[in-house]
Amino acid sequence: MPAPAVPVPAGPAAAGPSPDVLVLGGGLAGLVTAWRAAQRGMRVAVADPSPGGGAARVAAGMLAAVTELHYGEETLLALSLSSARRYPDFVRELEEVSGQSTAHRTCGALSVAFDADDRAHLREVHALQRRCGLDAEWLTGRECRRLEPLLAPSVGAGVRVDGDDQVDPRRLAAALLAACTAGGVVFHLAAAARLVVRGEHARGASLTDGTEVRAAQTVLATGSWSGDLDGAPPGVLPPVRPVKGQVLRLRVPATYAPFLSRTVRATARGAPVYLVPRADGELVVGATSEEMGWDTTVTAGGVYELLRDARMVAPGITELPLTESGAGLRPVSPDNAPVLGPTALPGLHVATGHGRNGVLLTPVTGDVMAEALATGRLPHDARPFAPDRFTGTPVADRTGIPTSREQTA
């Protein structure tokens, strides 16, 4: 079921004082930043030709702090767990303010393995999870099928994580859009064309519709496009790149329900695949990971591979109606972690680089960015994700105290 449409008050609705904050980009990171900043009493505007779109339109919405853990990402794990803990209160508040459901489900997740190599890899991941103090339970293949009867007989083992939940990113974006509207955020339905810099300070942006919006602080939250904005001095923009992901949506008829009760993940033929069941009967299958630049073409090969690998996990999937295929671009940084907070250019902040964790990190991104905008400082748990980790140039907050990781550790 599509997320409900939200009317967006646009453009010159903004006649009046210049905003305190101009957010460039109306995806999840931009909208949650705008909402939280407005809650702190700031006048906020968002510039985006289609707010509520972007990567959220094709994301599956897994809140997978534990099952997404990779070697070398223990610092990111701390931020991910922090955001996951915020989710229940976050969605409760957001749904109350917006009057819209986010389809948040506390259903848990199951990672499964097939042959000996798969099981050995899953054992290593499980050992890493346990070393990090995470709650993850090793299961036999029979125990996996007891939890999910429609799994393939070839499933030989699995890891159960009850704390990894899900949300519908399209509904989440619609709820954030409604909350921003209720909070007085003004929307300009145009993209950023050029950063306005006056006196070595970011002062807003010129938009593609010819409008120039002046603001005391500007937030760059344009996803994969955040590394390319005219007018920005060299070395200021975050080094993010686009990584393509293709996703399928299927419909589970009532006769099959429940097809799956929780998110199921696997590595099939060396490629990761996941199946995310929604409460309304939708089943999301994803996702490819392709270094294809700015290409968002849905390919026959991508659809075939996703269905082939999903069928290896749950053979009955081939009987389900295919309702949608899509492709989007994840903004990925060199260390696969988000880029948050003030840059070396005074007045310019960034909120991007969330990669595969954009939905999970939405609550903590809003809190971190609102704090940075209000005080000029990053909260302690966000300092490892400051932009200066790529430039090495300390960033001074409003008090003149450096906020780089090295000088605030």
Side-chain angles (χ1 to χ4, degrees), residues 1-402:
M1 182 183 298
V6 179
V8 179
S18 296
D20 301 310
V21 177
L22 172 62
V23 179
L24 306 178
L28 293 179
L31 290 176
V32 76
T33 296
W35 180 42
R36 289 307 198 194
Q39 286 183 315
R40 292 206 176 198
M42 295 175 236
R43 296 188 303 271
V44 182
V46 172
D48 191 296
S50 182
R57 299 298 303 172
V58 294
M62 297 176 294
L63 309 180
V66 178
T67 51
E68 280 279 4
L69 177 61
H70 288 66
Y71 287 101
E73 296 185 358
E74 288 80 0
T75 301
L76 177 58
L77 173 64
L79 191 72
S80 297
L81 291 173
S82 176
S83 198
R85 286 191 294 268
R86 299 173 201 223
Y87 242 100
D89 289 339
F90 172 75
V91 296
R92 190 178 303 114
E93 178 188 3
L94 178 59
E95 290 177 350
E96 181 177 343
V97 170
S98 67
Q100 299 193 25
S101 171
T102 62
H104 179 236
R105 294 185 66 198
T106 55
C107 58
L110 178 67
S111 297
V112 300
F114 299 96
D115 58 23
D117 288 341
D118 294 336
R119 289 195 296 274
H121 174 69
L122 191 58
R123 278 285 189 191
E124 292 177 359
V125 172
H126 182 239
L128 174 63
Q129 293 166 340
R130 299 300 292 170
R131 285 199 301 273
C132 292
L134 303 174
D135 187 7
E137 178 187 4
W138 183 265
L139 302 179
T140 65
R142 178 173 296 179
E143 290 170 328
C144 290
R145 285 185 293 277
R146 190 174 299 136
L147 282 179
E148 300 292 345
L150 294 184
L151 290 179
S154 55
V155 168
V159 172
R160 175 180 177 174
V161 178
D162 289 338
D164 277 3
D165 301 325
Q166 62 161 279
V167 71
D168 186 332
R170 295 181 176 184
R171 292 182 173 275
L172 178 63
L176 283 168
L177 192 55
C180 285
T181 301
V185 174
V186 170
F187 287 87
H188 297 270
L189 301 186
R194 186 176 184 83
L195 184 68
V196 173
V197 180
R198 298 282 188 273
E200 298 185 349
H201 193 291
R203 300 291 182 183
S206 298
L207 309 183
T208 51
D209 64 359
T211 304
E212 182 172 293
V213 182
R214 297 292 186 94
Q217 300 189 84
T218 303
V219 178
L220 185 57
T222 52
S224 298
W225 291 266
S226 299
D228 183 17
L229 180 60
D230 286 347
V236 167
L237 298 182
V240 296
R241 72 185 193 281
V243 175
K244 177 181 176 180
Q246 298 189 54
V247 174
L248 307 178
R249 296 174 188 273
L250 300 93
R251 174 62 50 187
V252 179
T255 53
Y256 275 83
F259 188 80
L260 295 171
S261 64
R262 73 201 70 221
T263 297
V264 177
R265 309 168 65 99
T267 299
R269 300 177 178 88
V273 64
Y274 54 73
L275 292 77
V276 184
R278 303 266 191 252
D280 64 2
E282 182 178 69
L283 181 68
V284 183
V285 178
T288 65
S289 183
E290 307 169 51
E291 298 279 356
M292 297 293 292
W294 304 102
D295 174 59
T296 55
T297 304
V298 177
T299 64
V303 173
Y304 166 73
E305 289 169 8
L306 286 173
L307 288 175
R308 178 198 64 191
D309 295 344
R311 182 179 182 273
M312 187 172 176
V313 177
I317 198 170
T318 56
E319 304 299 322
L320 304 181
L322 176 63
T323 60
E324 184 182 329
S325 59
L329 301 174
R330 309 177 188 93
V332 178
S333 72
D335 59 5
N336 297 317
V339 190
L340 303 171
T343 70
L345 178 65
L348 179 65
H349 299 251
V350 294
T352 187
H354 295 75
R356 65 184 184 273
N357 296 304
V359 180
L360 169 62
L361 296 175
T362 295
V364 76
T365 295
D367 293 342
V368 165
M369 295 306 298
E371 179 70 13
L373 290 166
T375 69
R377 299 180 179 178
L378 281 174
H380 180 77
D381 59 351
R383 290 174 186 169
F385 309 100
D388 65 349
R389 73 185 190 271
F390 298 118
T391 65
T393 304
V395 179
D397 65 18
R398 292 177 184 172
T399 67
I401 302 173

